[in-house]
């Protein structure tokens, strides 16, 4: 296939030279490159187009997880090739990777029936549309008051879905450690529990900074609206004290050391 397509050969050579991530992936799964070439390298896809294509996955769960894995890796490879060819900047590549993650999560919400039960909020680099090819997805899951147990089941299902793995990579690692109380906290939080956390329930100033650029991905509209109101009030609207600034200065010194 490559011998009859010099441009494709050049693309793959540049990609392997510049991306260990892509080399490891395509060496094990050359079918990904076939998938990329079938659709062409230069299609720019918005979230809705990506969702429509993801919707073509089989109904059976195991088959759908494998299908989604192949689709996500093919799209990541397409983005990597365009960045290697200098057709998109690093910032544009990160934005495309973020769109892909958004589409995958929105499609999971719809497929699982969770879009009316929970809401998903992006934090960290994911919130800022700065993820790269090996990035985790930093998320917080929001649940209605008194619905922690069913919401937790949905979040565990999301983790299982996204962690489907064909070596050397899973579909995506979902990182929930920025939720209130970290690994010791529930997998899904209500907005009232979040409010209590920021009102003296243990939240540190660096967590408030992390939540300052949070971005709702999708899910139940009232949960999304409640979170945004809380973010405006507790995160962006609260004053910054000298103690807050000192804690960040100390954290910065520890990181530098």
């Amino acid at each position: 296939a490559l011998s009859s397509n010099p441009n494709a050969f050049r693309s793959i050579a540049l990609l392997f030279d510049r991306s260990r991530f892509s080399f490891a992936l395509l060496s094990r799964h050359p079918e990904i490159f076939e998938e990329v070439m079938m659709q062409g390298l230069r299609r720019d896809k918005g979230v809705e187009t990506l969702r429509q294509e993801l919707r073509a996955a089989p109904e059976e769960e195991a088959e759908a997880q494998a299908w989604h894995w192949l689709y996500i890796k093919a799209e990541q490879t397409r983005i990597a090739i365009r960045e290697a060819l200098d057709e998109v900047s690093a910032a544009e590549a990160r934005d495309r990777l973020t769109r892909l993650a958004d589409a995958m999560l929105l499609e999971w919400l719809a497929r699982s029936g969770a879009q009316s039960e929970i809401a998903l909020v992006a934090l960290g680099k994911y919130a800022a549309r700065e993820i790269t090819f090996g990035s985790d997805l930093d998320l917080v899951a929001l649940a209605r008051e008194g619905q922690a147990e069913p919401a937790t089941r949905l979040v565990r299902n999301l983790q299982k879905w996204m962690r489907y793995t064909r070596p050397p990579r899973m579909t995506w690692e979902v990182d929930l450690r920025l939720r209130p109380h970290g690994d010791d906290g529930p997998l899904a939080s209500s907005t009232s529990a979040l409010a209590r956390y920021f009102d003296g329930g243990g939240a540190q100033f660096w967590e408030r900074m992390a939540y300052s650029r949070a971005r709702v991905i999708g899910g139940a509209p009232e949960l999304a609206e409640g979170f945004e109101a809380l973010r405006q009030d507790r995160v962006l609207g609260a004053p910054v004290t000298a103690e807050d600034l000192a804690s960040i200065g100390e954290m910065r010194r520890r990181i530098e050391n």
Side-chain angles (χ1 to χ4, degrees), residues 12-13 20 22 41 71 87-88 92 113 118 128 137 140 142 155 162 168 170 174 183-184 224 238-239 242 251 254-255:
I12 204 77
R20 185 179 297 274
S22 300
L41 288 174
Y71 180 87
E87 292 184 353
V88 298
E92 289 170 325
I118 63 173
L137 302 182
V140 168
L142 302 174
V155 175
M162 299 292 275
M170 65 181 68
V174 172
D183 287 337
D184 295 328
M251 175 177 282
R254 288 201 303 271
I255 292 170

Side-chain angles (χ1 to χ4, degrees), residues 3 6 9 82 89 109 111 118 130 145-146 173 189 233:
S3 66
F9 179 75
R82 294 196 66 191
S89 67
L109 283 167
R111 184 184 182 96
I118 63 173
E130 295 175 349
E145 198 72 43
E173 176 64 89
S189 299
D233 183 41

Side-chain angles (χ1 to χ4, degrees), residues 94 97-98 101 125-126 129-132 135-137 172:
R94 291 193 291 268
L97 290 168
T98 301
K125 289 184 177 181
Y126 182 30
R129 303 182 184 277
E130 295 175 349
I131 60 172
T132 58
S135 293
D136 298 341
L137 302 182
W172 251 303

Side-chain angles (χ1 to χ4, degrees), residues 138-245:
D138 291 313
L139 291 175
V140 168
L142 302 174
R144 292 185 180 86
E145 198 72 43
Q147 295 296 307
E149 188 174 334
T152 295
R153 286 197 296 269
L154 288 170
V155 175
R156 291 196 188 282
N157 179 269
L158 170 62
Q159 289 178 305
K160 177 185 173 185
W161 194 275
M162 299 292 275
R163 285 175 175 168
Y164 176 86
T165 302
R166 293 175 67 187
R169 295 280 177 176
M170 65 181 68
T171 306
W172 251 303
E173 176 64 89
V174 172
D175 191 340
L176 299 167
R177 288 176 296 174
L178 287 176
R179 67 188 188 271
H181 305 291
D183 287 337
D184 295 328
L187 288 179
S189 299
S190 66
T191 50
S192 59
L194 265 176
R196 290 193 295 272
Y197 187 62
F198 282 109
D199 284 344
Q204 299 182 53
F205 187 62
W206 69 263
E207 292 176 279
R208 182 176 152 198
M209 291 180 70
Y211 275 76
S212 70
R213 63 177 181 177
R215 178 172 63 88
V216 176
I217 303 300
E222 70 275 20
L223 292 174
E225 291 167 9
F227 174 79
E228 187 53 36
L230 179 146
R231 191 175 78 95
Q232 292 293 331
D233 183 41
R234 301 305 205 281
V235 176
L236 300 177
V240 177
T241 67
E243 183 179 354
D244 293 332
L245 296 177

